[in-house]
Each structure stands twice: as structure tokens, then as C-alpha cells.
Amino acid sequence: MAGLRPHARILFWPTLALLAIVGAAGYFYGSLPEPWENLALLAAAAALVLLLWLLPLASWLNNRYTITTRRIIFRHGFFVRTRQELLHSRGYDVTVRQNWLQSLAHSGDVLINAGLEHPLVLKDVPDAALVQQVLHDQMESSRTLMGSRRQEQSALADETAHWGSR
């Protein structure tokens, strides 16, 4: 089982904003003429931290992809949680798409086309080529396992048919 999230590079700008907000609030706090202005500064800084850092962090934490030996599970959403599952035995096409920044970080978008209207996308996952290879391997082993089970069932059905005909 492998648990994946989008690449943590997504949190670079929110973290930079957090540092700037904390630095500016720390610099200006106490230098304002009225005490209520200092409190207003802290309240504005807290609101900006919530908006520019905490919400992107919560969004990043709530996007998860889990690859098991039987299926892929997509979980995302903050206020409305969505869970999608795709069985390896159903078969699908896997494509990796990378822009130049993702190529530098060895990450990428993994598109999984299972015959649905829109492909399911694992957005900006680390080591996208490895994820693609693992998905191909899991799909192949799942098909092999399903084929052997079908052969066993057909052999069992043949034995039952012979036994019942006597």
C-alpha cells in the first residue's frame, strides 16, 4: 500500500506569505500610536495567516491518493469529502504529464483513463514515473490473478459437471 499527496512544493508560496506576515506583524507591533491599532494589526495578521497559509495547508492535507494491491483510492475535499475508487482489474490507461517545473522536481500529473468522461488525475505527485510503473505492474498482476481464478473456477465447474453426470 502506498499513500501519496500532491508535491509539497505547493506549500512554498503560502509558507513565504506566512513568514512575511509574521515578520511584518512583529516589526510593526508596539510601534503604532494607539493600543487598539496594535490589536487590529494582530487581528489582520491572524486573518491573513488563516487565508494565505492555513487554508492552503488544509487543502493540501485533504488530498490523498492510496494505491493498494486491488485498487486506487482518491480522497479529496475540505468541506465536501469525495472518495473515488478504481479497481486494477477493470483496466485503464496511465499517462504522465509534466511541465518544466515538475520535471525539475521529478513530479508530475498522472492521468488515469478508465473509460470515464474525464480521466482521474493524481495531481503533481512526487516521482510520477515510478507511480506510473507501479500502476502498470498492479494492473498486470491483477489481470494475471483474475485469469488464474477464472481457470480454477472453470476447472472446478468441469469437475462438478462430470461428477453430476454419473
Side-chain angles (χ1 to χ4, degrees), residues 84 111-121:
Q84 294 175 295
L111 287 80
I112 301 171
N113 188 358
L116 305 171
E117 278 184 33
H118 302 287
L120 299 171
V121 180

Side-chain angles (χ1 to χ4, degrees), residues 1-2 66-74 83-89 92 135 138 142:
M1 183 170 92
T66 306
I67 301 171
T68 67
T69 56
R70 300 183 74 196
R71 65 180 58 98
I72 308 168
I73 304 168
F74 303 86
R83 178 184 166 126
Q84 294 175 295
E85 292 186 9
L86 181 62
L87 295 173
H88 297 302
S89 62
Y92 46 81
L135 289 175
Q138 289 297 326
S142 178

Side-chain angles (χ1 to χ4, degrees), residues 14-24:
T15 303
L16 199 61
L18 172 70
L19 294 174
I21 292 166
V22 169

